Amino acid sequence: MGKTIKLKKGFNINIMGKPQKTLANDFTARTFAIKPTDFKGIAPIPKMLVQVGEEVKAGTPLFFDKKNPDIKYVAPVSGEIAEIKRGEKRAIIEVIILADNNIQFRPIEKVAINQIGREELVQHMMSNGCWPFLTQRPYGIIADPQEVPKAIFISGFDTSPLAPDYNFAVVGQKEYLQTGIDVLSILSGGKVHLSLNGNTQNPSELTSLSKVDIHSVSGPHPAGNVGVQIHHIDPINKGDIVWTIRLQDVIALGRVYKDGQYNTERFISLGGPPVKNAQHFKTYIGASIENMVKNNLKDDHVRYIDGSVLSGTKMEPTGHLGFYENQISVIEEGDKHEMFGWIWSSYPRPSASKAFFSSLFGGKNQEFNVNTNTHGEKRALVVTGQYEKVVPMDLHPMQLIKSIMFGDLDQMEGLGIYEVLEEDLALCEFVCTSKNPVQKVLRDGLDMMREQG
Amino acid sequence: MQALRNFLDSIEPAFKKNKFLHTVYDGFDTFLFAPKETTQGPGVHIRDGIDLKRTMVLVVLALQACLLFGMWNVGHQHYTALGLYPGLGEALFTKFSYGLLQMLPIIIVTHLVGLGIEFFFAAQKGHPIEEGFLVSAMLIPLIMPPDIPLWILSLAIAFAVIIAKEAFGGTGMNILNIALTARVFIFFAYPTEISGDTCWVAYDYNFLHKLFGMEGGTLQALGMAAVPEGGWISRVVDGFSGATPLGLAAKGGWDAVANATLPNGTAQYSLSNMFFGIIPGSIGETSKPAILIGLGMLIMSGIASWRIMLSMLAGAVVTGLLFNVIGGNAFMAVPFYYHLIIGSFLFAMVYMATDPVTAAQTQTGKLIYGFMIGVIGMIVRVLNPAYPEGWMLAILFLNVFAPTIDYFIYQRNIQRRLKRA
């Protein structure tokens, strides 16, 4: 039986341009890309298996990491390799595919999952491209095939600003979800956990799944973060390893084992104040956003974000969706001076503090037009208790960040660094009065811990 | 507005040549215009509207009621001592002007010395100027006796900013509350200036008063030809004492407070006089309504921790009740609620104990920290014969202990995490 978890701490940033529960008509992306930089823990120059000009099918291996040659990273669609983009020190940053009009799938050898052993299943997943769906905590890296995780966690909803609606995306996917869960239950050394939004009515596609513990989690963001859910369901202790997988990747995994096709079709949301028609798009992993945003913006001095405004990555208007991202956010650039802006704000802005008239009297439903301005400069940490209010975990985020700053590994471990990834403390960075780079510091800390092994 | 912006941009290169000048330029530039800096990532793309400037300035604004009332009260006490305008509504403008002119040099010197040192250190370190001192610079004048000599004030501020703050790494790194460090410096180095019966009322006229003819006005009103030989303090009317209730209570028990009268025969320390703050004392901390206005602003805006305030109140009340029960002497028998309106309890609770840098940082730690301040402050106030008031010392004491309190809270969290494995 699942748990019912009610979280109070956290903060919902109410941004204009929320994606509507509609699906864009006739949307197709021309190019798709797989970015080796999305996979944490692999070397910057993977071994390429394809060349520019080569034809690939959906599921054709593109490259692998030399340390783990069995794990293949595959093409999400069929078409021609258009470009292999390199960045600094010749690191490969993007493998771009010019997609066919009709996607062709590389046939995957069918296996009966209830008849093969775990070992065989792991081998199969590594070769067919499904393995990178699995992320390992601590550290948020590609799952290590040598390990058996104590549990696998799936978050069934996303609470981040402008997030896609998974309840909308899973409609009609019941069988694939169940097959995906079946596969995961073989991989997991313990249980498979799925958390559903306790604030809404969830579809039967999710509530009727078997071989999985279904939990109800409610509260403001980051209640939908799998890290927060793990903390309340079965926390990560020293030496523990858990895996996580995103809900739409479970569907893709199910399709591989049910249909024998690497079919990553999924819903992506596009949202933000400058977006004319904020809604969902049906596409595959790595889609170019060009056709989503073209003629769909009210303004062109904007920032395109692969992911959420809290922990996504800046991208070009012709860029491609990240491997693990389900949303594209567009917001105004805020590179403008504001006279006496620190005391007299010339436009309403979201704040978790109560130091603005809008946050005192604006009401819960006030939506904000946000921009990228920092609204102040970086300062020493002065205000206390602020981070704690937005992290619904038994954790002292400010002290954890400080222990990373002064490099105290014992304290980092003791205060729970294994339990968090950047996205879990992203709100701390947002609310920080002193404008500190919390997520970057946390990543430094995680890297430090990983190096120490 | 755009013209001003363009002007600032055009003069920046000239200031860039010198480290100190550029720090000053940057300080004023960011004061006039919030910077156009944007988020760069990796990390968040949007930031909360709040920043340290706004936070600090809201605290400064929350202190304005205390400041304004303090100005009037400084004047009122001055003229009361000289036997002039005893009515509360009388000579409002004169009293306020006296207080304003008495305080202007104090406020200006505080900012010049403190900010000067801050600017210097910021330039040395190549850092932007941190806003922390803006609050300290507002607090310091309010916790000083009204006739504090400016040179002593300057020394105290230099001591506090250099030793208590910059030596520890600047804003956010200090162990001790800056304003209280400045005050405690005077308390131990120049005790006669900040304790006793005569320092809590401004008797004399400074150069500004003279410039605006206020001394002449008083001479005229009193029908005198020249300033008395022993200074104005020698001209104090019979029956006026500038002793504070705590000074009286420490010496003569509570009876001395209850029996203190003003020249016109009314009680000097009636409940209402003490509540409204029409009594001698440090400049900004006498008026409880003014402090409560600030308290409201700080709680509403969420800037000051209600946990610290509430637990400090609880600590003081519990200790006060305990003293009442024991009742060893007249002072111990003073009803506990009197303690909340006499002396600087409320001011210390709202503005001093809540300093986030020097207080405990954990939510539970804040409760312990506040409660302990309440207990220790009362012990110093009531039981210690040497120090009439306890909050300054209690807060500084707990400032030192705050990291230890937090340490145990963190340790408990670490133990919990180990246990569940």
Side-chain angles (χ1 to χ4, degrees):
Chain A
M1 247 330 273
K3 296 183 180 178
T4 302
I5 299 157
K6 292 197 168 94
L7 303 173
K8 290 214 177 76
K9 292 176 177 180
F11 184 65
N12 285 328
I13 306 171
N14 209 355
I15 303 177
M16 288 176 188
K18 293 200 177 60
Q20 299 303 306
K21 275 199 194 186
T22 52
L23 196 59
N25 292 324
D26 310 326
F27 167 75
T28 47
R30 232 169 52 81
T31 57
F32 289 78
I34 295 293
K35 301 181 249 188
T37 45
D38 284 341
F39 308 106
K40 290 215 172 70
I42 76 167
I45 311 183
K47 176 83 181 141
M48 292 304 300
L49 295 167
V50 291
Q51 288 169 347
V52 174
E54 214 173 302
E55 292 285 334
V56 292
K57 289 184 173 161
T60 305
L62 297 175
F63 56 84
F64 61 84
D65 181 30
K66 285 160 217 165
K67 276 180 288 178
N68 266 316
D70 292 341
I71 305 174
K72 300 293 190 294
Y73 298 82
V74 304
V77 292
S78 64
E80 183 189 330
I81 304 287
E83 193 186 352
I84 298 177
K85 247 194 206 167
R86 288 181 184 266
E88 272 174 48
K89 295 184 188 162
R90 300 194 38 79
I92 293 171
I93 52 171
E94 253 183 329
V95 181
I96 303 174
I97 302 165
L98 187 61
D100 292 338
N101 286 335
N102 291 312
I103 305 295
Q104 290 175 17
F105 298 93
R106 186 179 75 99
I108 295 173
E109 175 207 353
K110 274 220 171 182
V111 292
I113 45 173
N114 45 7
Q115 281 162 28
I116 61 170
R118 184 178 185 277
E119 279 299 294
E120 219 174 316
L121 182 65
V122 169
Q123 286 302 326
H124 196 255
M125 279 180 71
M126 291 198 289
S127 65
N128 66 26
C130 289
W131 195 261
F133 292 150
L134 297 167
T135 310
Q136 177 168 319
R137 288 198 181 219
Y139 313 128
I141 50 176
I142 297 276
D144 181 349
Q146 311 297 329
E147 300 278 359
V148 179
K150 77 163 179 176
I152 296 179
F153 293 86
I154 310 157
S155 174
F157 62 111
D158 192 340
T159 46
S160 50
L162 307 173
D165 188 339
Y166 288 165
N167 284 353
F168 180 46
V170 296
V171 173
Q173 307 290 336
K174 164 89 206 282
E175 285 180 20
Y176 296 126
L177 275 166
Q178 187 59 59
T179 310
I181 299 272
D182 292 346
V183 171
L184 295 174
S185 67
I186 298 170
L187 290 177
S188 174
K191 287 178 172 171
V192 179
H193 299 279
L194 170 66
S195 305
L196 298 183
N197 191 345
N199 290 336
T200 57
Q201 189 67 39
N202 292 296
S204 64
E205 277 87 347
L206 292 172
T207 52
S208 64
L209 291 169
S210 60
K211 290 195 190 173
V212 60
D213 275 21
I214 298 177
H215 309 274
S216 159
V217 182
S218 55
H221 185 62
N225 280 16
V226 71
V228 172
Q229 297 161 2
I230 296 171
H231 178 85
H232 291 279
I233 295 167
D234 185 9
I236 305 170
N237 298 307
K238 190 188 176 181
D240 284 353
I241 280 178
V242 306
W243 290 352
T244 65
I245 179 169
R246 280 152 180 76
L247 190 66
Q248 300 209 68
D249 293 342
V250 179
I251 299 174
L253 182 63
R255 291 203 193 101
V256 167
Y257 285 92
K258 196 151 182 67
D259 298 350
Q261 293 181 339
Y262 184 81
N263 180 353
T264 62
E265 194 173 63
R266 61 194 50 219
F267 283 26
I268 299 302
S269 72
L270 170 70
V275 179
K276 280 188 207 156
N277 198 354
Q279 56 179 339
H280 292 73
F281 295 81
K282 201 184 211 175
T283 184
Y284 301 88
I285 279 182
S288 159
I289 65 161
E290 194 177 358
N291 292 344
M292 288 185 203
V293 296
K294 205 163 60 182
N295 304 324
N296 197 9
L297 299 180
K298 299 167 196 158
D299 186 10
D300 59 356
H301 190 55
V302 296
R303 177 173 301 183
Y304 303 90
I305 301 160
D306 178 17
S308 81
V309 291
L310 287 176
S311 31
T313 322
K314 211 178 191 175
M315 74 193 302
E316 295 296 314
T318 54
H320 298 91
L321 190 72
F323 191 85
Y324 297 109
E325 299 296 355
N326 292 303
Q327 70 176 113
I328 300 293
S329 316
V330 186
I331 57 174
E332 239 174 74
E333 281 289 359
D335 51 350
K336 291 184 195 82
H337 284 284
E338 191 184 8
M339 197 170 197
F340 297 118
W342 49 276
I343 187 70
W344 188 259
S345 36
S346 55
Y347 54 89
R349 57 203 62 183
S351 175
S353 76
K354 289 176 281 174
F356 289 88
F357 282 110
S358 60
S359 42
L360 275 176
F361 308 113
K364 265 194 166 173
N365 297 323
Q366 185 182 10
E367 287 194 329
F368 294 95
N369 181 5
V370 296
N371 63 45
T372 61
N373 193 285
T374 51
H375 301 306
E377 297 170 290
K378 185 173 179 300
R379 290 288 183 263
L381 290 169
V382 167
V383 179
T384 60
Q386 206 174 21
Y387 290 10
E388 286 73 7
K389 278 187 200 149
V390 293
V391 179
M393 298 163 90
D394 180 21
L395 193 101
H396 293 286
M398 169 88 95
Q399 191 61 19
L400 176 61
I401 291 300
K402 285 184 179 175
S403 66
I404 297 170
M405 286 172 170
F406 53 71
D408 184 337
L409 298 169
D410 284 343
Q411 197 174 92
M412 283 150 69
E413 185 177 291
L415 291 172
I417 193 169
Y418 298 137
E419 299 187 47
V420 286
L421 288 183
E422 289 98 316
E423 57 180 28
D424 302 323
L425 298 191
L427 270 176
C428 298
E429 185 171 336
F430 169 75
V431 300
C432 185
T433 298
S434 301
K435 315 286 175 193
N436 275 258
V438 174
Q439 296 184 81
K440 188 182 167 296
V441 174
L442 177 62
R443 180 41 69 182
D444 290 348
L446 289 166
D447 289 346
M448 233 187 286
M449 292 304 288
R450 236 183 111 206
E451 273 166 35
Q452 301 290 319
Chain B
M1 181 185 137
Q2 193 53 41
L4 178 62
R5 184 64 251 161
N6 293 343
F7 170 71
L8 283 170
D9 287 339
S10 72
I11 59 170
E12 186 177 6
F15 283 93
K16 265 202 164 139
K17 287 171 201 150
N18 179 300
K19 253 201 312 195
F20 184 75
L21 286 181
H22 192 243
T23 305
V24 176
Y25 168 85
D26 187 63
F28 283 101
D29 180 43
T30 55
F31 171 80
L32 284 169
F33 290 93
K36 62 176 182 180
E37 208 179 308
T38 59
T39 53
Q40 288 310 319
V44 293
H45 294 271
I46 56 173
R47 287 278 194 178
D48 198 308
I50 193 80
D51 72 341
L52 202 58
K53 269 199 181 65
R54 188 180 181 89
T55 309
M56 293 297 182
V57 166
L58 283 176
V59 181
V60 171
L61 288 178
L63 282 163
Q64 294 311 300
C66 293
L67 179 68
L68 291 176
F69 181 86
M71 285 179 180
W72 172 80
N73 190 43
V74 166
H76 178 71
Q77 296 301 327
H78 169 81
Y79 287 109
T80 308
L82 298 183
L84 284 170
Y85 323 125
L88 293 182
E90 264 179 277
L92 267 181
F93 181 75
T94 310
K95 287 174 184 172
F96 187 80
S97 306
Y98 178 87
L100 173 69
L101 297 178
Q102 179 70 19
M103 288 201 61
L104 264 185
I106 297 178
I107 294 172
I108 291 170
V109 164
T110 307
H111 281 83
L112 278 182
V113 175
L115 284 181
I117 297 171
E118 291 262 312
F119 275 55
F120 173 77
F121 276 98
Q124 286 299 308
K125 294 191 282 191
H127 287 180
I129 296 151
E130 303 256 354
E131 292 79 6
F133 192 74
L134 291 180
V135 171
S136 305
M138 198 73 262
L139 285 172
I140 290 172
L142 295 181
I143 57 174
M144 290 296 161
D147 64 347
I148 185 80
L150 296 178
W151 67 273
I152 291 181
L153 180 71
S154 311
L155 268 185
I157 292 165
F159 176 84
V161 175
I162 296 172
I163 305 292
K165 189 178 196 179
E166 294 302 338
F168 284 91
T171 299
M173 314 291 177
N174 47 304
I175 307 282
L176 298 178
N177 183 305
I178 304 304
L180 288 180
T181 307
R183 195 175 198 274
V184 86
F185 175 84
I186 303 177
F187 190 78
F188 286 114
Y190 302 95
T192 53
E193 302 295 342
I194 203 159
S195 49
D197 295 344
T198 56
C199 69
W200 305 110
V201 176
Y203 297 100
D204 285 319
Y205 290 86
N206 66 18
F207 66 102
L208 282 176
H209 294 128
K210 288 172 188 159
L211 190 69
F212 286 95
M214 294 202 73
E215 190 169 46
T218 305
L219 285 172
Q220 207 175 10
L222 289 170
M224 292 163 64
V227 181
E229 248 175 58
W232 282 103
I233 193 165
S234 64
R235 177 59 188 68
V236 168
V237 289
D238 286 342
F240 180 86
S241 161
T244 61
L246 284 166
L248 292 172
K251 267 190 216 152
W254 192 251
D255 290 346
V257 180
N259 295 333
T261 51
L262 286 168
N264 62 10
T266 59
Q268 187 177 17
Y269 293 116
S270 66
L271 215 50
S272 83
N273 277 0
M274 289 197 289
F275 179 74
F276 288 105
I278 311 160
I279 53 173
S282 295
I283 296 166
E285 60 193 24
T286 58
S287 169
K288 310 307 175 261
I291 298 169
L292 290 174
I293 290 172
L295 179 139
M297 284 176 71
L298 292 181
I299 298 262
M300 276 240 292
S301 61
I303 287 173
S305 162
W306 58 265
R307 280 187 176 79
I308 294 176
M309 297 195 211
L310 197 67
S311 59
M312 182 169 158
L313 183 68
V317 167
V318 166
T319 319
L321 278 170
L322 203 67
F323 287 153
N324 288 169
V325 171
I326 302 169
N329 59 37
F331 200 4
M332 283 174 82
V334 170
F336 70 92
Y337 46 84
Y338 272 65
H339 281 291
L340 308 181
I341 56 163
I342 58 176
S344 58
F345 170 78
L346 206 58
F347 191 87
M349 177 182 96
V350 176
Y351 297 108
M352 293 298 177
T354 52
D355 171 8
V357 174
T358 54
Q361 306 193 350
T362 52
Q363 305 296 56
T364 324
K366 281 175 183 161
L367 293 175
I368 301 171
Y369 169 85
F371 190 83
M372 290 304 292
I373 291 177
V375 172
I376 294 178
M378 285 294 284
I379 291 175
V380 177
R381 176 188 270 189
V382 178
L383 300 186
N384 188 318
Y387 306 126
E389 182 56 304
W391 307 111
M392 170 178 75
L393 296 169
I395 292 172
L396 287 171
F397 191 64
L398 262 295
N399 280 173
V400 175
F401 272 96
T404 314
I405 297 172
D406 283 335
Y407 173 82
F408 284 108
I409 306 288
Y410 297 139
Q411 220 48 41
R412 225 177 46 171
N413 183 269
I414 292 172
Q415 292 307 324
R416 251 197 323 271
R417 193 162 276 115
L418 284 176
K419 222 178 261 172
R420 99 191 159 193

